[in-house]
């Protein structure tokens, strides 16, 4: 790994030499990959990216902890669109808003970035089987990326995982274990099984490489904005791994001289499950919460990456916002109606948070904001219908259609 210096524990500071199988520090802390930024700056520049025709996350290889000889994953992951959301910005009363639609990744979520990294590192480790626990998106992303690369997968999901995500797992050939319990129960069972059978561990709070995959969304945002940083980047937060990866990406770019300032993060959690935001708001250590939200992808009452996540929010002088399930459903409708982007509940939670942050006066209307949509709405059709409502049902008759329009005050 040409530009990798090693890894450092975010809890105790102990340093490690990285191997493909590196996991956590002996103290239990999560490791952070360290780079030689001076060497990256010497050998690589925004101009090099301007000449690249690799429209995937692997265009950023100097910023990634993979061997130079390692082949990329078969599925095209990354380079999702960044839309200038003028209609939505006007409706919210915001000067400039961009929407990063990561639901357009191969298995329809941002988690493909982490799973693609896991597949490459598993191949470097000589593994043939990869396993993880997940509320849904990490699971489906692993199953799809692993299937394309020829790996077996064992995936543990809470029984409440949406059927759309479970369907993806089964179609991709994964061995799926539906756990009758919480996400915490699911994680612990996967951890025990991985230890017993020696599978490659894709759990994001164990494997330090996964946030390195997730950070590529930040690298793309920066490049797509011409290296001009927004004031804020908003995203939904569950176990903390994604927001940690997003912040790491911006930090890497800043240290390598690709950008001249850092954005502030807007950490958005569901009111019914917000242990990390609550810790920031109260100034106290985080404590577990019930997983009481329909946004299953961020329904994590015991976050597995709290240290990195809290560091990211605090280091960025970030804003924390909690939104209700009703506000999340409203954001699904708003994003779809104004921008044609269909996000799942957790996927639009960042957008719901931008709206609420403006209403609460936490951010200025003159700000430039990027909202990351982390997952596609087709993963959770039941909540999509809940947000939008059922269609009208009419007889195949014009009089019936006119009556239905009149009842709903529709004027074509």
């Amino acid at each position: 790994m040409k530009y990798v210096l090693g890894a450092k524990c975010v809890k105790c500071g102990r340093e490690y030499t990285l191997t493909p199988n590196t996991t956590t520090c002996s103290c239990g802390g999560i490791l952070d990959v360290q780079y030689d930024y001076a060497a990256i700056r010497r050998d690589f520049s925004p101009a090099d990216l301007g000449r690249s025709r690799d429209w995937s996350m692997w265009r950023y290889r100097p910023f990634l902890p993979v061997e130079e000889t390692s082949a990329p994953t078969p599925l095209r992951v990354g380079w999702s669109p960044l839309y200038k959301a003028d209609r939505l910005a006007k409706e919210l009363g915001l000067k400039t808003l961009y929407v990063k639609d990561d639901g357009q990744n191969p298995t329809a979520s941002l988690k493909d970035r982490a799973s693609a990294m896991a597949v490459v590192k598993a191949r470097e480790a000589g593994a043939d089987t990869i396993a993880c626990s997940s509320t849904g998106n990490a699971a489906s992303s692993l199953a799809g990326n692993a299937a394309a690369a020829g790996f077996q997968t064992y995936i543990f999901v809470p029984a409440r995982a949406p059927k759309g995500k479970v369907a993806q797992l089964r179609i991709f050939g994964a061995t799926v274990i539906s756990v009758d319990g919480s996400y915490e129960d699911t994680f612990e069972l996967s951890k025990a099984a991985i230890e017993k059978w020696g599978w490659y561990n894709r759990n994001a709070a164990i494997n330090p490489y996964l946030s390195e995959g997730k950070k590529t969304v930040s690298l793309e945002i920066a490049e797509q904005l011409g290296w001009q940083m927004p004031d804020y980047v908003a995203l939904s937060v569950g176990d903390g791994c994604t927001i940690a990866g997003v912040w790491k990406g911006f930090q890497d770019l800043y240290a390598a001289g690709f950008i001249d300032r850092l954005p502030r993060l807007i950490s958005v959690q569901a009111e019914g499950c917000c242990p990390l935001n609550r810790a920031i708001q109260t100034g106290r250590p985080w404590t577990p919460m019930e997983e009481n939200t329909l946004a299953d992808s961020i329904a994590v009452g015991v976050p597995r990456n709290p240290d990195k996540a809290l560091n990211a929010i605090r280091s960025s002088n970030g804003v924390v916002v909690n939104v209700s399930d009703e506000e999340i459903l409203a954001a699904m409708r708003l994003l779809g109606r104004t921008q044609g982007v269909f996000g799942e509940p957790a996927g639009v939670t960042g957008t719901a948070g931008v709206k609420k942050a403006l209403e609460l006066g936490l951010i200025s209307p003159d700000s430039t904001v990027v909202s990351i949509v982390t997952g596609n709405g087709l993963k959770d059709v039941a909540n999509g219908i809940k947000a939008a409502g059922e269609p009208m049902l009419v007889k195949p008759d014009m009089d019936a259609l006119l009556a239905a329009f009149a009842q709903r005050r529709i004027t074509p």
Side-chain angles (χ1 to χ4, degrees):
M1 293 182 285
K2 184 175 181 181
Y3 298 105
V4 174
L5 298 175
K8 187 174 183 179
C9 176
V10 299
K11 186 176 288 186
C12 73
R14 182 177 176 181
E15 297 184 353
Y16 288 81
T17 299
L18 282 171
T19 71
N21 285 309
T22 297
T23 54
T24 55
C25 178
S26 57
C27 77
I30 298 171
L31 302 183
D32 212 11
V33 178
Q34 307 289 300
Y35 293 88
D36 184 343
Y37 296 111
I40 293 175
R41 188 163 52 247
R42 180 191 66 225
D43 298 342
F44 191 58
S45 72
D48 294 315
L49 283 168
R51 291 186 289 269
S52 174
R53 291 299 172 262
D54 179 359
W55 303 111
S56 76
M57 62 182 271
W58 302 108
R59 66 193 279 109
Y60 304 109
R61 285 181 79 104
F63 285 100
L64 298 176
V66 295
E67 299 294 344
E68 290 185 88
T69 55
S70 290
T73 46
L75 298 182
R76 192 276 308 153
V77 176
W79 204 250
S80 60
L82 181 73
Y83 300 123
K84 193 166 187 291
D86 291 337
R87 293 188 67 229
L88 179 54
K90 183 177 180 180
E91 187 142 342
L92 296 181
L94 182 63
K95 179 183 177 182
T96 307
L97 176 64
Y98 293 89
V99 170
K100 178 69 167 168
D101 186 8
D102 242 41
Q104 292 198 31
N105 278 307
T107 74
S109 85
L110 184 149
K111 301 296 180 66
D112 279 328
R113 299 175 185 274
S115 291
M117 180 63 69
V119 166
V120 170
K121 299 309 291 186
R123 188 188 290 135
E124 290 180 3
D128 59 13
T129 302
I130 312 175
C132 76
S133 63
S134 167
T135 53
N137 281 334
S140 55
S141 72
L142 172 60
N145 282 275
F151 287 87
Q152 288 185 295
T153 51
Y154 287 83
I155 296 173
F156 298 75
V157 297
R160 60 175 163 77
K163 296 297 183 184
K165 296 176 183 179
V166 175
Q168 281 185 299
L169 298 176
R170 300 295 294 140
I171 288 293
F172 294 144
T175 299
V176 182
I177 302 93
S178 182
V179 180
D180 186 13
S182 67
Y183 176 67
E184 171 71 3
D185 298 327
T186 305
F187 181 92
E188 291 300 330
L189 183 59
S190 77
K191 181 180 176 183
I194 289 167
E195 290 176 356
K196 179 176 178 62
W197 285 292
W199 301 324
Y200 188 81
N201 194 334
R202 187 249 178 257
N203 283 322
I206 300 293
N207 188 325
Y209 297 111
L210 302 189
S211 62
E212 298 297 305
K214 290 183 177 183
K215 81 181 183 186
T216 58
V217 73
S218 301
L219 310 188
E220 286 176 20
I221 288 169
E223 185 178 3
Q224 289 169 329
L225 289 177
W227 311 105
Q228 300 301 306
M229 284 295 92
D231 299 306
Y232 298 93
V233 174
L235 68 157
S236 59
V237 175
D239 63 9
C241 297
T242 299
I243 195 169
V246 166
W247 183 237
K248 179 64 157 50
F250 288 125
Q251 285 183 306
D252 284 354
L253 289 174
Y254 185 75
F258 280 49
I259 57 176
D260 59 10
R261 70 184 183 97
L262 292 162
R264 297 173 66 186
L265 301 180
I266 303 177
S267 168
V268 192
Q269 293 201 281
E271 286 180 352
C273 191
C274 55
L276 296 175
N277 280 2
R278 185 173 66 177
I280 296 290
Q281 290 167 328
T282 63
R284 298 174 182 171
W286 74 269
T287 54
M289 289 187 70
E290 294 293 324
E291 297 171 354
N292 185 23
T293 175
L294 56 76
D296 67 283
S297 295
I298 55 171
V300 182
V302 181
R304 287 290 169 175
N305 204 342
D307 294 330
K308 279 191 181 182
L310 293 171
N311 286 344
I313 298 167
R314 290 174 176 139
S315 297
S316 75
N317 189 26
V319 174
V320 295
V321 187
N322 300 323
V323 293
S324 67
D325 282 355
E326 291 72 24
E327 288 169 320
I328 291 170
L329 293 174
M332 291 179 73
R333 295 190 297 271
L334 182 61
L335 192 58
R337 175 171 57 78
T338 60
Q339 298 301 141
V341 173
F342 185 18
E344 66 168 322
V348 306
T349 296
T351 303
V354 173
K355 182 175 185 295
K356 193 163 187 176
L358 283 163
E359 293 169 349
L360 295 175
L362 298 176
I363 65 174
S364 167
D366 292 328
S367 303
T368 296
V369 181
V370 174
S371 180
I372 302 174
V373 176
T374 54
N376 189 277
L378 290 175
K379 287 174 165 285
D380 191 351
V381 173
N383 276 312
I385 292 294
K386 186 174 182 180
E390 296 283 351
M392 68 179 76
L393 178 65
V394 301
K395 298 289 186 182
D397 177 83
M398 180 56 75
D399 289 338
L401 179 60
L402 291 172
F405 278 6
Q407 183 181 5
R408 292 164 178 78
R409 298 181 180 178
I410 297 173
T411 305

